Amino acid sequence: MKQKYRLQPLLQIKERARQRAEILLAKAIARLEREKKQLKKLEEEKQKIIARRKEVRRELHEKMLSGNAQARDSQIRGNYLQRLEEDQKKKETEIEAQKKLIEECEVQVKRSRRDYIDAAKELRIMEKHKELWRKKLDLELSRQEEKEMDELGNVIFQLKQM
């Protein structure tokens, strides 16, 4: 007679909880990576703006030194430089916001990792319990078979003596 493990439904619940925690951890890690890539992209954009500002400044300086600069030209370039500076400040603000978002994502990854570890431990405990239950059941079955074999041996012995 095969006995059914009475805590099997709980074991299945623990397995699903571990799987959910694993999925949430994977999603949290993926989001963190996406946000890090976004930060890198923002920093590259900022560097391009800085490089463009330097280039425009250099061009304006060269025109002024060569004497080819016109008042209107320097005013246009000055406005353009002002706009580039505003763009740079805007990028710096976006970068700071992105860094805060990354910190939040890192906290979420840590939390998800902790939840996954806890769920995995609970599942291991349940699996260990089931394994010990199965060993105990096998031991009882073995003892019962030995007892029946002993009784059968005694009956055969008594029959032979008659």
Side-chain angles (χ1 to χ4, degrees), residues 25-40:
L25 175 60
K27 286 180 179 180
I29 289 172
R31 181 172 182 228
L32 177 61
E33 291 304 314
R34 275 194 317 272
E35 299 303 339
K36 284 182 177 180
K37 285 179 184 176
Q38 179 64 23
L39 176 63
K40 187 176 180 182

Side-chain angles (χ1 to χ4, degrees), residues 62-117:
E62 286 176 2
K63 277 197 173 195
M64 292 179 85
L65 286 178
S66 67
N68 293 337
Q70 298 174 357
R72 180 167 163 72
D73 191 36
S74 69
Q75 183 181 8
I76 291 172
R77 288 188 188 266
N79 289 341
Y80 184 60
L81 281 171
Q82 185 70 29
R83 198 179 95 233
L84 285 174
E85 186 176 340
E86 290 169 4
D87 288 349
Q88 181 182 345
K89 287 180 182 177
K90 182 180 171 191
K91 282 293 174 205
E92 288 170 354
T93 303
E94 289 177 19
I95 287 172
E96 288 306 312
Q98 190 67 22
K99 285 181 180 178
K100 287 179 184 175
L101 185 60
I102 287 174
E103 287 176 11
E104 291 172 11
C105 288
E106 287 172 343
V107 168
Q108 183 60 41
V109 166
K110 286 179 185 175
R111 191 175 300 130
S112 296
R113 188 169 280 133
R114 180 81 256 153
D115 291 346
Y116 173 74
I117 290 170

